[in-house]
Amino acid sequence: MAQTFNLSASLRDKSGKGAARAARRAELVPAVIYGDKKAPLSINLELRELRRHLATTFYTHIYDLKVGNDTHKVIPRDVQFHPVTETPLHVDFLRVSDTTKITAAVPVEALGADKSPGIKNGGLLNLIYHELEVKCFANQIPEHITVDVSALTVGQSIHLSEIKLPAGVEITLHDKNATIVTITAPSALRAKDEEADAAAAAAAATPIAVPAAKQKAPEAAPAAPAKDAKKK
């Protein structure tokens, strides 16, 4: 279930691009707190502290965000990054409570790969969905959606309908037969199987030659009847 973490920020007195650039030069990250039918609150986060939290499952965490003498219970909703340096440029936080129902993208985690017979035999773990969107109360967001692959062999899969979720958590993906994770054959083995299939198909398509001695000679065409001689 979702854990609550602590995060601190300072009020941002000025808004606009100039104020935001000044904050970033001071190694601060502009952010905003919104929601819960209250006015948005502009704040600045310390870049170093934010980076530490970004290294975790940031989007599934509930934060007690302290701004001055006030504490806001929030969840991260969006982070904008610099396209080249990947430095965080802006963060959006949503105010939440225990009765706030939201959607969130939760990472999928495969467990038991070291015990999987398929992987032990050279198969490859293929995670089709790296995260799944869930709908639940803010305080029920799971850290991960775990999938046990310890019994899978090559070619076997786990589908959405087979995943067990905590009470109150619902996955928004409608296709219950969607494949979440599968064990695929290694590329060398797949290539060998494909070559064998191609050879079998080619053999089936090639006509069987009949030895010349056993070939039936074509029947001679019947002789044309002789024409009647002209009467003298």
Side-chain angles (χ1 to χ4, degrees), residues 103-119:
T103 58
V106 179
V108 177
E109 183 180 39
L111 301 178
D114 57 329
K115 300 177 182 178
S116 165
I119 295 177

Side-chain angles (χ1 to χ4, degrees), residues 1-42:
M1 304 305 288
Q3 302 181 46
T4 301
F5 296 82
N6 295 320
L7 190 61
S8 59
S10 58
L11 278 173
R12 181 156 45 100
D13 297 329
K14 297 180 180 180
S15 59
K17 295 182 179 180
R21 285 195 293 266
R24 294 180 187 117
R25 285 195 296 269
E27 297 207 339
L28 299 173
V29 181
V32 63
I33 302 173
Y34 66 94
D36 199 24
K37 298 180 181 179
K38 298 178 182 178
L41 185 65
S42 297

Side-chain angles (χ1 to χ4, degrees), residues 10 20 22-23 26 30 35 47 50 52 63 71 73 89 92 96 101 106 147 187 191 205 217 225:
S10 58
L47 176 59
L50 176 60
R52 180 168 56 83
Y63 286 91
T71 300
K73 188 176 290 293
L89 301 177
D92 290 349
V96 296
K101 203 162 191 176
V106 179
V147 182
S187 56

Side-chain angles (χ1 to χ4, degrees), residues 63-80:
Y63 286 91
D64 281 336
L65 182 53
K66 187 174 182 181
V67 184
N69 295 325
D70 298 324
T71 300
H72 305 264
K73 188 176 290 293
V74 300
I75 185 170
R77 297 308 279 167
D78 186 52
V79 181
Q80 297 175 22

